[in-house]
Amino acid sequence: MKVFFSALVLLVGLSTVSFAQKGVLKFKEETHKFGKVPQGTPVTHEFVFTNTGSDPVVLSNVTVSCGCTTPVWSKDPVLPGKTGSVKATFNAAAAGPFNKPVTVFSNTEGGSITLYLNGEVVPKAAAKSSK
């Protein structure tokens, strides 16, 4: 009898958790490829997301790996079915390939998601000759 009641409690608990859905971030893209970027020319991309969950989503913080990337994000709660965004600007000062992570922290079930900016910074003379 104890096993039956334990199984019943477990079943009810699992079904309750499965119906409780938090806010869910669904980004249109998680990686943006700039291609070749002229050195010294900052580039910006806006990552747009939709809250596909049942509760409002709040972005608590957005972090980057270095000072060469600057994030700006939606500060107000994003209601279910609505959109928000994370903009990231990369300063493109140093020549060479780049793959910059932008980590978004929120009140969603996973807690965070990492977006990426990538491409190659080329000297201005090389960028002009490749066009």
Side-chain angles (χ1 to χ4, degrees):
M1 195 64 150
K2 287 182 182 180
V3 172
F4 173 75
F5 284 118
S6 296
L8 182 61
V9 167
L10 181 62
L11 180 62
V12 169
L14 287 176
S15 62
T16 302
V17 169
S18 66
F19 287 114
Q21 185 181 12
K22 289 184 163 193
V24 177
L25 293 179
K26 179 67 176 166
F27 280 88
K28 289 185 179 180
E29 63 179 336
E30 294 180 15
T31 299
H32 180 72
K33 298 177 181 180
F34 285 107
K36 294 190 184 294
V37 176
Q39 188 171 12
T41 304
V43 289
T44 300
H45 180 69
E46 182 175 22
F47 291 97
V48 177
F49 66 87
T50 301
N51 177 0
T52 61
S54 59
D55 290 344
V57 168
V58 177
L59 304 185
S60 56
N61 196 14
V62 176
T63 61
V64 293
S65 60
C66 67
C68 60
T69 308
T70 306
V72 177
W73 63 94
S74 300
K75 303 287 197 253
D76 295 329
V78 179
L79 301 175
K82 301 297 181 185
T83 61
S85 67
V86 175
K87 282 186 187 178
T89 300
F90 174 67
N91 73 7
F98 65 91
N99 187 37
K100 298 298 177 182
V102 178
T103 305
V104 180
F105 295 93
S106 66
N107 63 334
T108 59
E109 189 169 318
S112 69
I113 184 170
T114 302
L115 310 170
Y116 294 92
L117 299 174
N118 62 42
E120 181 181 2
V121 177
V122 295
K124 283 190 178 186
K128 287 180 183 177
S129 64
S130 67
K131 287 185 178 181

